[in-house]
Amino acid sequence: MSMLSFGENVEGINYKVLDERRIRANAGIMFLLGLIAFVNGFVLQRFEVIPYISGFLLLNFMIAVFINPKYAPTYALAWIFVRKQSKLWVGAVQKRFAWSLGIALSLVIFVLSIPLQTDINYFDPVCLLCVACLFLLFFESAFGICIGCKLYFLSLRMKLMKQPEEQPNCMGDACEV
């Protein structure tokens, strides 16, 4: 895998792939960080934590999408938890799409959470977006259901995006077009 690449080339597979076990561990780590931010902000009313964690997650997603997932801090940490497990390859293209949605959500949360310390009017949208992120991360880590991947394949079916040459697989072949 080169330094600037999203996914790995594996012998016998015609498209770039990522390890599903590592992706799920990565999502679990990000879920834990998001839950810490949510509890601090919306239960304990300590909003100053939210920009730090959402900023970290934004940076993490940007490193994964624009540079290489293996350099993203949570993805690197996830390797420690799953390094002794066999790899389970899934297509990288839909994960890139899903993580790009993660960039968008974490960017909006980051920008909207900065004025939270002084203006409670931003509470509702930030809270709703945090819940949405937690929902997406929970489904990925707990059940292996990538809702962003499902949106990717839905956009292909609706012809909103160009069909890739090779059709990559999802966990359990759940995303067949």
Side-chain angles (χ1 to χ4, degrees):
M1 185 155 67
S2 72
M3 186 173 163
L4 293 174
S5 173
F6 193 89
E8 299 179 44
N9 291 313
V10 174
E11 190 173 321
I13 301 176
N14 298 334
Y15 47 87
K16 290 193 174 199
V17 293
L18 293 170
D19 179 15
E20 176 67 17
R21 297 182 203 283
R22 194 168 173 185
I23 290 168
R24 288 180 72 177
N26 177 56
I29 293 166
M30 288 192 292
F31 176 79
L32 181 61
L33 290 170
L35 191 59
I36 290 168
F38 183 82
V39 168
N40 271 282
F42 305 111
V43 176
L44 303 175
Q45 301 294 303
R46 294 195 317 228
F47 299 111
E48 62 274 358
V49 175
I50 297 171
Y52 290 106
I53 293 179
S54 62
F56 173 77
L57 293 176
L58 172 62
L59 179 64
N60 187 70
F61 276 125
M62 290 177 75
I63 291 169
V65 171
F66 298 120
I67 298 174
N68 191 319
K70 72 179 182 179
Y71 299 121
T74 59
Y75 195 75
L77 183 60
W79 175 81
I80 292 170
F81 297 110
V82 298
R83 69 183 181 277
K84 294 187 179 184
Q85 296 179 13
S86 62
K87 295 191 184 304
L88 180 59
W89 300 116
V90 294
V93 66
Q94 70 268 22
K95 292 296 181 184
R96 185 175 208 159
F97 179 85
W99 289 356
S100 296
L101 294 176
I103 288 173
L105 282 171
S106 57
L107 176 64
V108 172
I109 291 170
F110 177 70
V111 169
L112 290 179
S113 68
I114 293 171
L116 264 179
Q117 286 75 9
T118 58
D119 189 356
I120 202 69
N121 291 331
Y122 287 95
F123 177 83
D124 290 341
V126 173
C127 183
L128 290 173
L129 289 171
C130 283
V131 168
C133 285
L134 289 173
F135 176 80
L136 296 171
L137 289 168
F138 179 75
F139 266 71
E140 176 73 37
S141 63
F143 305 119
I145 297 171
C146 176
I147 295 171
C149 299
K150 299 221 178 272
L151 291 174
Y152 170 78
F153 286 103
L154 177 66
S155 67
L156 288 178
R157 271 189 236 110
M158 294 174 65
K159 308 234 186 279
L160 299 174
M161 295 174 39
K162 181 183 173 212
Q163 187 81 18
E165 291 178 24
E166 292 292 327
Q167 191 60 55
N169 69 312
C170 285
M171 178 70 175
D173 296 322
C175 293
E176 293 294 320
V177 175

